[in-house]
Amino acid sequence: MSEFLNSPQLPPGTKPLPTQVGGHKYGNGQIGCLEVNDGTILKHVQRPPYGQRELDFYDEIFQSTDDNTLIELRSFVPEFHGVIHGGNNGGVAKHQYLKLENLIKKLSKPCVLDIKMGRKTYDPEASPEKVASQTAKFPPAQQLGYQFTGMLVKYC
Ligand SMILES: Nc1ncnc2c1ncn2[C@@H]1O[C@H](COP(=O)(O)OP(=O)(O)OP(=O)(O)O)[C@@H](O)[C@H]1O
Ligand SMILES: [Mg+2]
């Protein structure tokens, strides 16, 4: 863990989220979500089109003032606190992060479950190679319609 804490890639005041149970890593595949001591996490914005889609999703939900469905949806997702730019590459920010509420911030022994919903885990524009690699990861999902990608039962 100490090599992460000293890594120049991390935005100041952040460290790897110790309760992350699944999901993407970036920067040589080492770093995932980052914990900030203000009750939020930073989630790396993935390569196009995925990260931008997620950003647009949060923007739409948290900026809407007249769509009651979107306003109601806010209570089911982490609070969105905007985009953070970090990681210096010759004066240009190298990485973008979504600043999100840390959903386990008030829990001393959090239990976390990461579920992928759906029979397919690829998008409609996915290449045949992507479809094959995603399907091969857990073939029963095609019948079950969901899969667990990670779980943490007790964290001390
Ligand atoms: N808001 C949050 N609060 C606490 N932990 C979180 C939060 N968001 C994500 N995590 C942790 O990070 C992990 C990965 O999150 P997530 O599934 O959102 O990212 P991803 O798999 O990289 O991207 P995506 O699922 O959007 O393709 C989760 O399993 C969970 O452990
Ligand atoms: Mg995920």
Side-chain angles (χ1 to χ4, degrees), residues 8-34:
Q9 292 176 333
L10 299 188
T14 67
K15 61 180 185 177
L17 180 69
T19 55
Q20 179 166 350
V21 296
H24 294 88
K25 304 271 169 106
Y26 73 98
N28 301 326
Q30 292 178 324
I31 302 168
C33 293
L34 300 171

Side-chain angles (χ1 to χ4, degrees), residues 22-24 43 114 116 149:
H24 294 88
K43 182 177 174 184
D114 188 315
K116 270 191 196 300
T149 53

Side-chain angles (χ1 to χ4, degrees), residues 46-120:
Q46 292 177 38
R47 68 183 191 285
Y50 310 107
Q52 188 62 44
R53 272 188 203 149
E54 187 173 21
L55 173 52
D56 292 345
F57 171 79
Y58 279 107
D59 263 343
E60 193 175 357
I61 293 174
F62 283 88
Q63 283 181 6
S64 179
T65 52
D66 54 1
D67 185 326
N68 286 335
T69 306
L70 289 180
I71 291 168
E72 199 177 336
L73 194 54
R74 282 179 203 162
S75 59
F76 294 94
V77 300
E79 285 166 16
F80 176 53
H81 298 281
V83 175
I84 300 289
H85 298 262
N88 208 309
N89 186 16
V92 179
K94 201 172 163 191
H95 298 284
Q96 279 189 304
Y97 305 86
L98 305 176
K99 189 171 172 66
L100 300 171
E101 173 188 6
N102 184 349
L103 292 169
I104 55 155
K105 64 188 173 202
K106 293 184 182 144
L107 305 177
S108 58
K109 291 182 182 175
C111 296
V112 180
L113 180 61
D114 188 315
I115 306 175
K116 270 191 196 300
M117 298 299 296
R119 294 172 196 276
K120 297 175 180 176

